[in-house]
Amino acid sequence: MATKTAEQITVDLLRPLSGLSGRYLLAAAFFAGMVVAALCAFFYQAYAGLGVSGLRTPVFWGFYITNFVFWIGLSHAGTLISAILRLANATWRRPVTRCAEVITVFALSIGATFPIIHLGRPWLAFFLFPYPSERGIWPNIRSPLLWDFFAINTYLISSVTFLLLPMVPDFALVRDRSEGIKKKIYGALALGWTGTPRQWHRLETAMHIMAIAVIPVAVSVHSIVSWDFAMAPVPMWHSTIFAPYFVAGAIFSGIAALILAMALLRKFLHLEEYLLPIHFENLGKLLLVMSLLWFYFVFAERLTAWYGNEPSEMAVFWTTQHGSYSPLFWTMVFCNFLIPFPILAIKKLRTITGTAIASFTVVIGMWLERFLIIVPSLSFFST
């Protein structure tokens, strides 16, 4: 295959911005319908009360907090692929970094809505914001909700910055090929970029600084999310292993989400010449490592609970092993380890299709893991 010129690459990558296809409008209409349905459900819950979601004593956390932890975990895709591999100077990462960075911002934006939905009275969410009031009431710094507020907003700001910085030259490229109002919009986003050596040097320096800064921010975010659980005296929650366990699980699900997104973009935007099999193979190797690490953490958590033999913890332990939650637990094990491990470990199976199948099962398994962390423990907990 002949090497493409810079002009040909530019034309290929800007093609999706050239107009609206029928398939795009159909997809936009479909997802708009889903948003309208979600808004109707949200306003009905606000009117009828949080009980319509199934939350009641003693399970006060359910699907909303499960989705919150799940989406925050998916956001770690950008951190691993774009930041860590950028610092490691892994050149193969370049075609996938933008996709990873976008997933981070989108997943964080989605995940951040669930605590507000979970409040039941979302119009009181302003109590989480640290601002001086006439009554002298400040947020309770001991509240995990306040930790989440600061952690998520810090991560979101840094992730948006990390996404927009390398897009400045791209905005300038679109600006130079646009007309009218579109040219003005992209001109404002380009921040006066002309592509001089001085501008490139400053951009690379800024990206290097952001890559260093965003990694500890991402790790701290999911550590704080795990401490929402670990700080509570709830069976199977009060554990010192939760922070690394949650961070590893977040990276695991983030890589899986990135592979799925790349496979879909490659198929529907016809990017076969840019998202190559080598990218999926390398990401598949990373997913394999994280699958092994995930299995280790799950085994360590279950082993210590079984050996400690605390009655309250054993009640949760056995209900997930061969009780009412056991089908979900063993489905999680199959999805996160028994299915992806052989696919990713055997080179002939580590193809684009193979890694996409493994990633699909991991996304399902990681949602089940978040659910199994929250609901069974609360089911056996009473004050």
Side-chain angles (χ1 to χ4, degrees), residues 209-264:
I209 294 173
M210 284 301 303
I212 295 173
V214 79
I215 294 173
V217 170
V219 172
S220 65
V221 166
H222 222 61
S223 296
I224 290 173
V225 170
S226 75
W227 293 335
D228 290 350
F229 302 90
M231 299 299 183
V234 177
M236 300 292 288
W237 282 11
H238 200 61
S239 170
T240 57
I241 203 175
F242 257 34
Y245 178 26
F246 270 53
V247 171
I251 296 174
F252 186 33
S253 59
I255 297 173
L258 175 60
I259 292 175
L260 279 179
M262 287 172 51
L264 292 174

Short mmCIF file of all heavy atoms in Angstrom, two decimals, residues 209-264:
data_model
loop_
_atom_site.label_atom_id
_atom_site.label_comp_id
_atom_site.label_asym_id
_atom_site.label_seq_id
_atom_site.Cartn_x
_atom_site.Cartn_y
_atom_site.Cartn_z
N ILE A 209 3.76 18.57 30.49
CA ILE A 209 3.39 18.94 31.86
C ILE A 209 2.03 18.37 32.22
O ILE A 209 1.83 17.81 33.32
CB ILE A 209 3.40 20.47 32.02
CG1 ILE A 209 4.82 21.02 31.87
CG2 ILE A 209 2.81 20.88 33.37
CD1 ILE A 209 4.89 22.54 31.84
N MET A 210 1.07 18.46 31.31
CA MET A 210 -0.27 17.95 31.57
C MET A 210 -0.27 16.43 31.71
O MET A 210 -1.00 15.86 32.53
CB MET A 210 -1.23 18.36 30.46
CG MET A 210 -1.67 19.81 30.52
SD MET A 210 -2.50 20.23 32.06
CE MET A 210 -3.83 19.03 32.08
N ALA A 211 0.56 15.74 30.91
CA ALA A 211 0.64 14.28 31.00
C ALA A 211 1.15 13.85 32.37
O ALA A 211 0.69 12.86 32.94
CB ALA A 211 1.56 13.74 29.90
N ILE A 212 2.11 14.62 32.91
CA ILE A 212 2.63 14.30 34.24
C ILE A 212 1.58 14.60 35.31
O ILE A 212 1.40 13.84 36.26
CB ILE A 212 3.92 15.11 34.51
CG1 ILE A 212 5.03 14.67 33.55
CG2 ILE A 212 4.37 14.94 35.96
CD1 ILE A 212 6.29 15.51 33.63
N ALA A 213 0.85 15.70 35.14
CA ALA A 213 -0.11 16.13 36.17
C ALA A 213 -1.37 15.28 36.18
O ALA A 213 -1.94 15.02 37.25
CB ALA A 213 -0.47 17.60 35.95
N VAL A 214 -1.84 14.82 35.01
CA VAL A 214 -3.14 14.18 34.94
C VAL A 214 -3.11 12.75 35.51
O VAL A 214 -4.14 12.24 35.96
CB VAL A 214 -3.66 14.18 33.49
CG1 VAL A 214 -2.99 13.07 32.66
CG2 VAL A 214 -5.17 14.04 33.45
N ILE A 215 -1.94 12.10 35.52
CA ILE A 215 -1.87 10.72 36.03
C ILE A 215 -2.18 10.65 37.52
O ILE A 215 -3.06 9.88 37.93
CB ILE A 215 -0.50 10.10 35.70
CG1 ILE A 215 -0.35 9.94 34.18
CG2 ILE A 215 -0.35 8.73 36.38
CD1 ILE A 215 1.02 9.48 33.75
N PRO A 216 -1.48 11.42 38.40
CA PRO A 216 -1.86 11.35 39.82
C PRO A 216 -3.28 11.85 40.08
O PRO A 216 -3.94 11.37 41.01
CB PRO A 216 -0.82 12.25 40.50
CG PRO A 216 -0.25 13.10 39.43
CD PRO A 216 -0.31 12.29 38.18
N VAL A 217 -3.76 12.80 39.26
CA VAL A 217 -5.14 13.26 39.44
C VAL A 217 -6.11 12.12 39.17
O VAL A 217 -7.06 11.88 39.94
CB VAL A 217 -5.44 14.44 38.50
CG1 VAL A 217 -6.93 14.78 38.50
CG2 VAL A 217 -4.65 15.67 38.93
N ALA A 218 -5.89 11.36 38.10
CA ALA A 218 -6.77 10.25 37.76
C ALA A 218 -6.73 9.16 38.84
O ALA A 218 -7.77 8.61 39.22
CB ALA A 218 -6.37 9.66 36.41
N VAL A 219 -5.53 8.84 39.31
CA VAL A 219 -5.40 7.83 40.36
C VAL A 219 -6.12 8.28 41.63
O VAL A 219 -6.83 7.50 42.27
CB VAL A 219 -3.92 7.53 40.64
CG1 VAL A 219 -3.78 6.62 41.86
CG2 VAL A 219 -3.27 6.87 39.42
N SER A 220 -5.97 9.55 41.98
CA SER A 220 -6.60 10.05 43.20
C SER A 220 -8.12 10.06 43.08
O SER A 220 -8.83 9.81 44.05
CB SER A 220 -6.09 11.46 43.51
OG SER A 220 -6.49 12.38 42.51
N VAL A 221 -8.64 10.32 41.87
CA VAL A 221 -10.09 10.37 41.67
C VAL A 221 -10.71 9.03 41.99
O VAL A 221 -11.67 8.93 42.77
CB VAL A 221 -10.44 10.80 40.23
CG1 VAL A 221 -11.90 10.51 39.93
CG2 VAL A 221 -10.16 12.28 40.05
N HIS A 222 -10.20 7.96 41.41
CA HIS A 222 -10.83 6.66 41.66
C HIS A 222 -10.48 6.12 43.04
O HIS A 222 -11.21 5.29 43.57
CB HIS A 222 -10.48 5.66 40.57
CG HIS A 222 -11.66 4.85 40.14
ND1 HIS A 222 -12.79 5.41 39.59
CD2 HIS A 222 -11.93 3.52 40.23
CE1 HIS A 222 -13.67 4.47 39.32
NE2 HIS A 222 -13.18 3.32 39.71
N SER A 223 -9.38 6.58 43.60
CA SER A 223 -9.11 6.23 45.00
C SER A 223 -10.16 6.86 45.91
O SER A 223 -10.67 6.22 46.84
CB SER A 223 -7.71 6.70 45.40
OG SER A 223 -6.71 6.04 44.65
N ILE A 224 -10.50 8.12 45.64
CA ILE A 224 -11.52 8.79 46.44
C ILE A 224 -12.88 8.13 46.26
O ILE A 224 -13.64 7.95 47.22
CB ILE A 224 -11.58 10.28 46.07
CG1 ILE A 224 -10.31 10.99 46.56
CG2 ILE A 224 -12.82 10.95 46.65
CD1 ILE A 224 -10.18 12.43 46.11
N VAL A 225 -13.19 7.72 45.03
CA VAL A 225 -14.44 6.99 44.80
C VAL A 225 -14.46 5.70 45.62
O VAL A 225 -15.48 5.33 46.21
CB VAL A 225 -14.62 6.69 43.30
CG1 VAL A 225 -15.79 5.74 43.08
CG2 VAL A 225 -14.85 7.98 42.52
N SER A 226 -13.33 5.01 45.70
CA SER A 226 -13.27 3.77 46.49
C SER A 226 -13.42 4.05 47.97
O SER A 226 -14.00 3.25 48.71
CB SER A 226 -11.96 3.04 46.22
OG SER A 226 -10.87 3.68 46.87
N TRP A 227 -12.91 5.20 48.42
CA TRP A 227 -13.01 5.54 49.84
C TRP A 227 -14.45 5.88 50.24
O TRP A 227 -14.78 5.84 51.42
CB TRP A 227 -12.07 6.69 50.18
CG TRP A 227 -10.62 6.28 50.05
CD1 TRP A 227 -10.11 5.02 50.16
CD2 TRP A 227 -9.51 7.14 49.77
NE1 TRP A 227 -8.76 5.01 49.96
CE2 TRP A 227 -8.36 6.31 49.72
CE3 TRP A 227 -9.37 8.50 49.54
CZ2 TRP A 227 -7.09 6.82 49.46
CZ3 TRP A 227 -8.11 9.01 49.30
CH2 TRP A 227 -6.99 8.17 49.26
N ASP A 228 -15.30 6.23 49.27
CA ASP A 228 -16.72 6.36 49.58
C ASP A 228 -17.24 5.08 50.23
O ASP A 228 -18.14 5.12 51.08
CB ASP A 228 -17.53 6.62 48.30
CG ASP A 228 -17.27 8.00 47.73
OD1 ASP A 228 -16.63 8.81 48.42
OD2 ASP A 228 -17.72 8.27 46.61
N PHE A 229 -16.69 3.96 49.80
CA PHE A 229 -17.09 2.66 50.34
C PHE A 229 -16.22 2.24 51.52
O PHE A 229 -16.72 1.82 52.56
CB PHE A 229 -17.00 1.59 49.24
CG PHE A 229 -17.84 1.90 48.04
CD1 PHE A 229 -17.32 2.62 46.97
CD2 PHE A 229 -19.15 1.47 47.94
CE1 PHE A 229 -18.09 2.91 45.85
CE2 PHE A 229 -19.93 1.75 46.84
CZ PHE A 229 -19.40 2.47 45.79
N ALA A 230 -14.90 2.35 51.34
CA ALA A 230 -13.98 1.80 52.33
C ALA A 230 -14.07 2.51 53.68
O ALA A 230 -13.72 1.91 54.71
CB ALA A 230 -12.54 1.87 51.80
N MET A 231 -14.51 3.76 53.72
CA MET A 231 -14.62 4.48 54.98
C MET A 231 -15.86 4.09 55.77
O MET A 231 -16.01 4.50 56.92
CB MET A 231 -14.65 6.00 54.72
CG MET A 231 -13.40 6.54 54.05
SD MET A 231 -11.92 6.27 55.03
CE MET A 231 -10.68 7.09 54.01
N ALA A 232 -16.76 3.32 55.17
CA ALA A 232 -18.00 2.93 55.85
C ALA A 232 -17.85 1.54 56.48
O ALA A 232 -17.27 0.65 55.88
CB ALA A 232 -19.16 2.93 54.85
N PRO A 233 -18.40 1.34 57.68
CA PRO A 233 -18.31 0.02 58.35
C PRO A 233 -19.34 -0.96 57.81
O PRO A 233 -20.17 -1.49 58.55
CB PRO A 233 -18.57 0.38 59.81
CG PRO A 233 -19.49 1.56 59.75
CD PRO A 233 -19.08 2.34 58.53
N VAL A 234 -19.33 -1.17 56.51
CA VAL A 234 -20.27 -2.07 55.84
C VAL A 234 -19.52 -3.34 55.47
O VAL A 234 -18.37 -3.28 55.03
CB VAL A 234 -20.86 -1.39 54.58
CG1 VAL A 234 -21.78 -2.34 53.84
CG2 VAL A 234 -21.60 -0.12 54.97
N PRO A 235 -20.14 -4.52 55.65
CA PRO A 235 -19.46 -5.78 55.31
C PRO A 235 -18.92 -5.79 53.88
O PRO A 235 -19.63 -5.38 52.95
CB PRO A 235 -20.56 -6.83 55.49
CG PRO A 235 -21.52 -6.22 56.46
CD PRO A 235 -21.48 -4.75 56.21
N MET A 236 -17.67 -6.21 53.73
CA MET A 236 -16.96 -6.33 52.44
C MET A 236 -16.57 -4.98 51.86
O MET A 236 -16.00 -4.92 50.78
CB MET A 236 -17.79 -7.12 51.42
CG MET A 236 -18.14 -8.53 51.83
SD MET A 236 -16.71 -9.64 51.92
CE MET A 236 -16.32 -9.86 50.20
N TRP A 237 -16.84 -3.88 52.57
CA TRP A 237 -16.42 -2.56 52.10
C TRP A 237 -15.20 -2.06 52.85
O TRP A 237 -14.31 -1.47 52.25
CB TRP A 237 -17.55 -1.54 52.28
CG TRP A 237 -18.64 -1.61 51.26
CD1 TRP A 237 -18.84 -2.59 50.34
CD2 TRP A 237 -19.69 -0.66 51.09
NE1 TRP A 237 -19.95 -2.32 49.60
CE2 TRP A 237 -20.50 -1.15 50.04
CE3 TRP A 237 -20.03 0.52 51.73
CZ2 TRP A 237 -21.63 -0.45 49.60
CZ3 TRP A 237 -21.16 1.22 51.29
CH2 TRP A 237 -21.95 0.72 50.24
N HIS A 238 -15.18 -2.26 54.14
CA HIS A 238 -14.15 -1.66 55.00
C HIS A 238 -12.83 -2.38 54.77
O HIS A 238 -12.42 -3.26 55.53
CB HIS A 238 -14.58 -1.75 56.46
CG HIS A 238 -13.87 -0.78 57.34
ND1 HIS A 238 -13.95 0.59 57.18
CD2 HIS A 238 -13.04 -0.96 58.39
CE1 HIS A 238 -13.23 1.19 58.09
NE2 HIS A 238 -12.65 0.27 58.84
N SER A 239 -12.14 -1.98 53.68
CA SER A 239 -10.95 -2.71 53.25
C SER A 239 -9.88 -1.73 52.78
O SER A 239 -10.19 -0.73 52.11
CB SER A 239 -11.30 -3.68 52.12
OG SER A 239 -10.15 -4.23 51.53
N THR A 240 -8.64 -2.00 53.13
CA THR A 240 -7.54 -1.14 52.70
C THR A 240 -7.15 -1.39 51.25
O THR A 240 -6.41 -0.61 50.66
CB THR A 240 -6.31 -1.37 53.58
OG1 THR A 240 -5.94 -2.75 53.54
CG2 THR A 240 -6.58 -0.98 55.02
N ILE A 241 -7.64 -2.47 50.65
CA ILE A 241 -7.26 -2.81 49.28
C ILE A 241 -8.15 -2.11 48.26
O ILE A 241 -7.87 -2.15 47.05
CB ILE A 241 -7.33 -4.35 49.08
CG1 ILE A 241 -6.44 -4.77 47.92
CG2 ILE A 241 -8.77 -4.80 48.83
CD1 ILE A 241 -6.36 -6.27 47.74
N PHE A 242 -9.19 -1.42 48.70
CA PHE A 242 -10.17 -0.88 47.77
C PHE A 242 -9.58 0.15 46.81
O PHE A 242 -9.97 0.20 45.64
CB PHE A 242 -11.35 -0.28 48.53
CG PHE A 242 -12.57 -1.16 48.53
CD1 PHE A 242 -12.44 -2.53 48.55
CD2 PHE A 242 -13.84 -0.61 48.49
CE1 PHE A 242 -13.56 -3.35 48.54
CE2 PHE A 242 -14.97 -1.41 48.48
CZ PHE A 242 -14.83 -2.80 48.50
N ALA A 243 -8.68 1.02 47.28
CA ALA A 243 -8.14 2.06 46.39
C ALA A 243 -7.41 1.47 45.19
O ALA A 243 -7.75 1.76 44.04
CB ALA A 243 -7.26 3.02 47.17
N PRO A 244 -6.37 0.61 45.38
CA PRO A 244 -5.72 0.02 44.20
C PRO A 244 -6.65 -0.90 43.41
O PRO A 244 -6.54 -1.00 42.18
CB PRO A 244 -4.54 -0.75 44.79
CG PRO A 244 -4.88 -0.97 46.22
CD PRO A 244 -5.70 0.22 46.63
N TYR A 245 -7.57 -1.56 44.11
CA TYR A 245 -8.54 -2.44 43.45
C TYR A 245 -9.41 -1.63 42.48
O TYR A 245 -9.62 -2.03 41.32
CB TYR A 245 -9.38 -3.12 44.53
CG TYR A 245 -10.48 -4.04 44.06
CD1 TYR A 245 -10.42 -4.68 42.82
CD2 TYR A 245 -11.59 -4.28 44.86
CE1 TYR A 245 -11.43 -5.53 42.41
CE2 TYR A 245 -12.61 -5.12 44.46
CZ TYR A 245 -12.53 -5.73 43.24
OH TYR A 245 -13.53 -6.57 42.83
N PHE A 246 -9.91 -0.49 42.92
CA PHE A 246 -10.76 0.35 42.07
C PHE A 246 -9.96 0.97 40.93
O PHE A 246 -10.45 1.07 39.81
CB PHE A 246 -11.41 1.45 42.91
CG PHE A 246 -12.73 1.05 43.51
CD1 PHE A 246 -12.85 -0.11 44.25
CD2 PHE A 246 -13.85 1.83 43.32
CE1 PHE A 246 -14.06 -0.48 44.81
CE2 PHE A 246 -15.08 1.47 43.87
CZ PHE A 246 -15.18 0.31 44.62
N VAL A 247 -8.74 1.41 41.21
CA VAL A 247 -7.92 2.02 40.15
C VAL A 247 -7.62 0.99 39.06
O VAL A 247 -7.73 1.28 37.86
CB VAL A 247 -6.63 2.61 40.74
CG1 VAL A 247 -5.69 3.05 39.62
CG2 VAL A 247 -6.95 3.79 41.65
N ALA A 248 -7.22 -0.22 39.47
CA ALA A 248 -6.94 -1.28 38.49
C ALA A 248 -8.18 -1.62 37.68
O ALA A 248 -8.13 -1.78 36.45
CB ALA A 248 -6.41 -2.52 39.20
N GLY A 249 -9.33 -1.71 38.36
CA GLY A 249 -10.58 -1.99 37.64
C GLY A 249 -10.97 -0.88 36.69
O GLY A 249 -11.50 -1.14 35.61
N ALA A 250 -10.68 0.36 37.08
CA ALA A 250 -10.99 1.50 36.21
C ALA A 250 -10.15 1.45 34.94
O ALA A 250 -10.67 1.67 33.83
CB ALA A 250 -10.76 2.81 36.96
N ILE A 251 -8.88 1.19 35.08
CA ILE A 251 -8.01 1.10 33.90
C ILE A 251 -8.43 -0.08 33.03
O ILE A 251 -8.45 0.01 31.79
CB ILE A 251 -6.54 0.97 34.34
CG1 ILE A 251 -6.09 2.23 35.07
CG2 ILE A 251 -5.63 0.71 33.14
CD1 ILE A 251 -4.71 2.15 35.67
N PHE A 252 -8.80 -1.19 33.67
CA PHE A 252 -9.26 -2.39 32.96
C PHE A 252 -10.47 -2.06 32.10
O PHE A 252 -10.49 -2.34 30.88
CB PHE A 252 -9.59 -3.45 34.00
CG PHE A 252 -9.94 -4.80 33.45
CD1 PHE A 252 -9.36 -5.27 32.28
CD2 PHE A 252 -10.86 -5.62 34.11
CE1 PHE A 252 -9.68 -6.53 31.78
CE2 PHE A 252 -11.17 -6.87 33.62
CZ PHE A 252 -10.60 -7.33 32.46
N SER A 253 -11.50 -1.46 32.69
CA SER A 253 -12.70 -1.14 31.92
C SER A 253 -12.44 -0.02 30.92
O SER A 253 -13.05 0.02 29.84
CB SER A 253 -13.83 -0.73 32.88
OG SER A 253 -13.47 0.39 33.66
N GLY A 254 -11.53 0.92 31.26
CA GLY A 254 -11.21 2.00 30.34
C GLY A 254 -10.57 1.51 29.05
O GLY A 254 -10.91 1.97 27.96
N ILE A 255 -9.64 0.56 29.16
CA ILE A 255 -9.01 0.00 27.96
C ILE A 255 -10.05 -0.72 27.12
O ILE A 255 -10.07 -0.60 25.88
CB ILE A 255 -7.87 -0.96 28.35
CG1 ILE A 255 -6.77 -0.22 29.09
CG2 ILE A 255 -7.30 -1.64 27.11
CD1 ILE A 255 -5.70 -1.14 29.64
N ALA A 256 -10.95 -1.48 27.77
CA ALA A 256 -12.00 -2.20 27.04
C ALA A 256 -12.90 -1.22 26.29
O ALA A 256 -13.25 -1.45 25.12
CB ALA A 256 -12.82 -3.05 28.00
N ALA A 257 -13.29 -0.13 26.95
CA ALA A 257 -14.14 0.87 26.29
C ALA A 257 -13.42 1.51 25.11
O ALA A 257 -14.02 1.77 24.06
CB ALA A 257 -14.56 1.93 27.30
N LEU A 258 -12.13 1.75 25.26
CA LEU A 258 -11.35 2.36 24.18
C LEU A 258 -11.29 1.43 22.96
O LEU A 258 -11.47 1.87 21.82
CB LEU A 258 -9.95 2.68 24.66
CG LEU A 258 -8.98 3.21 23.61
CD1 LEU A 258 -9.51 4.51 23.01
CD2 LEU A 258 -7.60 3.44 24.22
N ILE A 259 -11.06 0.15 23.19
CA ILE A 259 -11.00 -0.81 22.08
C ILE A 259 -12.34 -0.87 21.36
O ILE A 259 -12.40 -0.88 20.11
CB ILE A 259 -10.59 -2.20 22.60
CG1 ILE A 259 -9.14 -2.19 23.09
CG2 ILE A 259 -10.78 -3.27 21.52
CD1 ILE A 259 -8.70 -3.48 23.74
N LEU A 260 -13.43 -0.90 22.11
CA LEU A 260 -14.76 -0.93 21.48
C LEU A 260 -15.01 0.34 20.67
O LEU A 260 -15.50 0.27 19.54
CB LEU A 260 -15.84 -1.07 22.55
CG LEU A 260 -16.12 -2.47 23.09
CD1 LEU A 260 -17.20 -2.43 24.16
CD2 LEU A 260 -16.55 -3.42 21.97
N ALA A 261 -14.66 1.49 21.22
CA ALA A 261 -14.85 2.75 20.50
C ALA A 261 -14.01 2.78 19.22
O ALA A 261 -14.49 3.21 18.16
CB ALA A 261 -14.50 3.93 21.40
N MET A 262 -12.77 2.31 19.31
CA MET A 262 -11.91 2.28 18.12
C MET A 262 -12.47 1.36 17.05
O MET A 262 -12.44 1.69 15.86
CB MET A 262 -10.51 1.84 18.53
CG MET A 262 -9.70 2.88 19.28
SD MET A 262 -8.16 2.19 19.90
CE MET A 262 -7.48 1.44 18.40
N ALA A 263 -12.98 0.20 17.45
CA ALA A 263 -13.53 -0.75 16.49
C ALA A 263 -14.74 -0.15 15.77
O ALA A 263 -14.90 -0.31 14.55
CB ALA A 263 -13.91 -2.05 17.20
N LEU A 264 -15.60 0.56 16.52
CA LEU A 264 -16.78 1.18 15.90
C LEU A 264 -16.38 2.33 14.97
O LEU A 264 -16.92 2.46 13.87
CB LEU A 264 -17.72 1.68 16.99
CG LEU A 264 -18.39 0.59 17.84
CD1 LEU A 264 -19.18 1.21 18.99
CD2 LEU A 264 -19.30 -0.29 16.99
#
